[in-house]
């Protein structure tokens, strides 16, 4: 595909690095020459210095020939204008990043479709929903539903008390032909393993499991951590994400929201009727202790600084908080945060990539989840008639070794995939894949 990206900030840069592995023809536009030079030195990408809303600049980027235009800069209005102009100039598909939930309402979305914008995405809204889901599955590090919840990806770190430690994959699988869940990957010391029967689980492993709805509870018990019922939550940082979480949960649980800016805290208090908003500096441990951090069931750190969030999460863990979540936007800090025991990370760049990566694939991809903690994706495909995947049992179709079929949904029935399973046209198939296998995997279902 010919892809044109408007905005070389953190999101745009991440998309360039991710998509350049897929052999696309990528051009990125930004006014910051230094950012563009850094990207050009790291990726096979053409850079254009200029205004992303300029007709002349977009024409230089050959917008009239581009298959996909993505406006992902930090300014919402610039993104909307840029995406609308790009579509009028000939882009086949145009996408814009926004910061306003109002635009996503069904009646309002039509306005943007009429402007030529095919898809709007709001990373903060998706991040807030991800946090809410994780608070409901507190023993997991990531939790994603596919096919309306018929299959789920459950991710957890093996605690000292996990019953899996020291056992091989084949030992814990009682009935190979009637699986209720399947381990699709293990992340260990920065390496992602597609597991085989003889692989042995170790303490600290991050384990990725595809499970049917009825088995989720059994799967989460393997982590060695109890699933707690969150009744008291403290949020550090009155960001868009923090505000959305508080608004969604304030009538169900007790919430304290801490923000260092008194003016912002006052506005938040007016907006959030049933949330206790505290104007204090959450970087000070004595303040957090005084506000009852040790009595919380869960703590979420959502300030604009990854360092602050990591340190606050570490304090919460030391104070005995059972569920701790930190927003870490600096990609280099994710492995650091996980290495010191913070196993639940929120990253808007990965959430953004999950939202729009599917538009870069030729096959019918319903959903993609770009994962924290490992260099891999989980994808949900709809199988086309006569595609290679339908030509025999999974073990006979030469499926890439860097990928694994986790589950199949056929009508209302969900099944965990085994080597003897046969995939049929129009099945929904959930696949775990390393980056090197994604394009190969797509060709099996298209």
């Amino acid at each position: 595909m010919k892809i044109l990206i408007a905005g070389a900030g953190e999101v745009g840069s991440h998309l360039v690095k991710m998509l350049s592995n897929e052999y696309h023809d990528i051009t990125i536009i930004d006014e910051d020459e230094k950012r563009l030079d850094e990207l050009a030195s790291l990726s096979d990408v053409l850079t254009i210095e200029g205004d992303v809303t300029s007709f002349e600049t977009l024409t230089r980027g050959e917008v009239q020939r581009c298959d996909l235009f993505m406006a992902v800069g930090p300014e919402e209005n610039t993104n909307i204008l840029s995406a609308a102009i790009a579509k009028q100039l000939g882009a086949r598909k145009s996408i814009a990043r926004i910061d306003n939930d109002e635009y996503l309402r069904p009646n309002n979305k039509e306005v943007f479709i009429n402007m030529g914008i095919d898809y709007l995405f709001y990373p903060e809204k998706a991040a807030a929903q991800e946090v809410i889901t994780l608070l409901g599955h507190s023993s997991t590090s990531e939790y994603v539903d596919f096919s309306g919840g018929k299959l789920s990806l459950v991710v957890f770190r093996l605690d000292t008390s996990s019953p899996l430690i020291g056992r091989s994959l084949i030992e814990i699988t009682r009935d190979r032909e009637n699986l209720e869940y399947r381990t699709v990957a293990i992340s260990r010391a920065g390496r992602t393993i597609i597991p085989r029967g003889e692989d042995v689980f170790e303490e600290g492993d991050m384990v990725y499991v595809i499970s049917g709805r009825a088995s989720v509870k059994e799967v989460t018990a393997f982590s060695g951590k109890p699933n707690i019922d969150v009744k008291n939550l403290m949020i550090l940082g009155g960001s868009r994400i923090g505000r959305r979480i508080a608004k969604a949960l304030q009538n169900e649980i007790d919430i304290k929201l801490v923000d260092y800016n008194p003016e912002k805290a006052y506005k938040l208090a007016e907006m959030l009727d049933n949330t206790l908003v505290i104007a204090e500096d959450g970087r000070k441990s004595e303040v957090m202790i005084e506000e009852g951090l040790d009595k919380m069931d869960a703590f979420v750190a959502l300030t604009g600084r990854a360092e602050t969030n990591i340190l606050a999460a570490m304090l919460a863990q030391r104070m005995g908080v059972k569920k701790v979540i930190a927003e870490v936007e600096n990609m280099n800090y994710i492995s650091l945060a996980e290495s010191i025991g913070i196993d639940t990370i929120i990253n808007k760049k990965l959430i953004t990539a999950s939202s729009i990566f599917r538009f870069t694939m030729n096959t019918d991809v319903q959903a993609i989840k770009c994962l924290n903690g490992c260099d891999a994706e989980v994808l949900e495909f709809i199988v086309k008639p006569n595609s290679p995947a339908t030509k025999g049992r999974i073990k006979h179709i030469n499926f890439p070794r860097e990928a694994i079929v986790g589950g199949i949904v056929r009508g209302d029935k969900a099944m965990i995939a085994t080597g003897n399973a046969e995939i049929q046209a129009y099945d929904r198939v959930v696949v775990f894949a390393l980056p090197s296998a994604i394009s190969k995997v797509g060709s099996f279902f298209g």
Side-chain angles (χ1 to χ4, degrees):
M1 294 180 76
K2 180 171 179 57
I3 299 172
L4 192 56
I5 299 174
E10 287 189 334
V11 171
S13 299
H14 181 70
L15 287 169
V16 165
K17 290 168 190 171
M18 184 180 71
L19 295 172
S20 60
N21 295 326
E22 299 295 312
Y23 308 106
H24 296 295
D25 176 6
I26 302 171
T27 302
I28 187 161
I29 302 171
D30 200 280
E31 291 183 307
D32 191 322
E33 183 182 4
K34 186 179 177 183
R35 277 185 194 162
L36 294 175
D37 289 344
E38 286 174 2
L39 271 178
S41 67
L42 296 170
S43 311
D44 182 15
V45 58
L46 179 67
T47 62
I48 296 176
E49 185 183 350
D51 180 357
V52 298
T53 62
S54 160
F55 283 62
E56 188 270 333
T57 303
L58 293 174
T59 303
R60 276 168 56 205
E62 298 185 321
V63 69
Q64 64 278 6
R65 292 199 307 110
C66 94
D67 299 296
L68 179 62
F69 180 88
M70 296 186 280
V72 295
E75 294 296 327
E76 175 183 71
N77 292 340
T78 301
N79 291 338
I80 290 171
L81 179 59
S82 178
I85 293 171
K87 190 63 178 275
Q88 295 301 319
L89 292 178
R92 286 181 61 194
K93 193 172 287 286
S94 189
I95 293 172
R97 174 188 178 181
I98 61 167
D99 293 313
N100 188 338
D101 189 40
E102 184 183 26
Y103 294 162
L104 294 177
R105 292 174 190 160
N107 293 341
N108 298 340
K109 283 170 75 172
E110 285 195 23
V111 173
F112 295 98
I113 291 169
N114 293 334
M115 290 168 64
I117 301 173
D118 299 284
Y119 182 69
L120 299 170
F121 67 98
Y122 182 9
E124 287 78 8
K125 181 178 182 179
Q129 188 53 56
E130 196 162 304
V131 171
I132 291 166
T133 299
L134 288 165
L135 290 172
H137 297 87
S138 62
S139 60
T140 66
S141 299
E142 293 190 67
Y143 186 94
V144 188
D145 279 332
F146 293 96
S147 296
K150 294 182 180 70
L151 289 173
S152 298
L153 172 71
V154 184
V155 184
F156 52 87
R157 188 181 295 279
L158 296 188
D159 203 40
T160 312
S161 57
S162 169
L164 298 186
I165 294 171
R167 300 172 70 191
S168 68
L169 194 61
I170 205 161
E171 280 182 72
I172 64 163
T173 308
R174 296 182 296 273
D175 183 348
R176 297 292 296 170
E177 291 308 311
N178 296 289
L179 294 175
E180 296 173 340
Y181 43 80
R182 185 173 195 181
T183 302
V184 292
I186 300 169
S187 180
R188 180 183 299 155
R191 188 166 65 99
T192 303
I193 303 163
I194 302 290
R196 308 298 167 193
E198 65 279 4
D199 284 306
V200 175
F201 292 100
E202 299 178 8
E203 183 181 343
D205 281 353
M206 194 73 86
V207 181
Y208 300 76
V209 180
I210 298 294
S211 171
R213 183 179 288 158
S215 302
V216 167
K217 195 171 181 181
E218 183 181 350
V219 168
T220 55
F222 286 137
S223 70
K225 300 176 187 173
N227 200 60
I228 62 165
D229 186 12
V230 175
K231 294 178 181 175
N232 295 286
L233 168 66
M234 182 179 285
I235 300 170
L236 177 62
S239 63
R240 288 188 180 93
I241 302 174
R243 190 169 68 233
R244 290 193 68 88
I245 294 166
K247 193 169 185 179
L249 298 178
Q250 64 180 352
N251 294 322
E252 301 170 28
I253 62 176
D254 292 328
I255 299 177
K256 287 185 178 181
L257 191 155
V258 181
D259 196 283
Y260 75 94
N261 186 322
E263 186 178 337
K264 187 176 182 182
Y266 183 79
K267 288 179 181 175
L268 287 166
E270 288 186 323
M271 294 166 55
L272 301 167
D273 298 336
N274 292 330
T275 296
L276 178 58
V277 181
I278 300 161
E280 289 281 7
D281 189 346
R283 293 170 296 183
K284 297 177 180 177
S285 56
E286 62 272 19
V287 168
M288 301 300 280
I289 293 167
E290 189 177 313
E291 295 301 336
L293 179 58
D294 60 325
K295 296 178 179 63
M296 295 294 135
D297 299 313
F299 174 78
V300 186
L302 300 167
T303 75
R305 292 179 59 83
E307 299 92 334
T308 300
N309 294 339
I310 291 171
L311 290 171
M314 288 173 63
L315 173 64
Q317 286 184 317
R318 284 204 303 271
M319 297 297 294
V321 180
K322 296 288 193 302
K323 183 64 180 176
V324 176
I325 301 172
E327 182 186 2
V328 181
E329 291 304 323
N330 186 325
M331 301 294 286
N332 298 322
Y333 286 178
I334 290 179
S335 57
L336 168 65
E338 291 175 337
S339 70
I340 56 180
I342 304 168
D343 62 2
T344 305
I345 304 296
I346 296 296
N347 181 284
K348 285 186 301 204
K349 289 189 284 296
L350 289 175
I351 290 169
T352 297
S354 298
S355 296
I356 63 181
F357 190 28
R358 63 191 174 95
F359 291 105
T360 69
M361 301 191 71
N362 294 324
T363 41
D364 195 351
V365 181
Q366 287 299 290
I368 293 181
K369 173 62 177 173
C370 299
L371 299 166
N372 297 315
C374 76
D375 187 19
E377 279 88 41
V378 179
L379 309 94
E380 180 185 354
F381 294 93
I382 294 181
V383 182
K384 296 285 177 65
N386 299 315
S387 61
T390 64
K391 302 303 181 184
R393 299 179 190 273
I394 291 174
K395 64 183 179 183
H396 294 148
I397 61 174
N398 199 27
F399 202 69
R401 283 187 64 83
E402 306 91 0
I404 185 169
V405 178
I408 302 165
V409 175
R410 185 172 299 149
D412 290 331
K413 183 183 177 186
M415 60 196 96
I416 301 302
T418 66
N420 287 322
E422 293 186 62
I423 297 170
Q424 298 179 9
Y426 307 112
D427 283 351
R428 289 174 177 257
V429 180
V430 177
V431 178
F432 183 98
L434 298 176
S436 58
I438 288 174
S439 57
K440 295 182 223 168
V441 166
S443 67
F444 270 79
F445 303 108

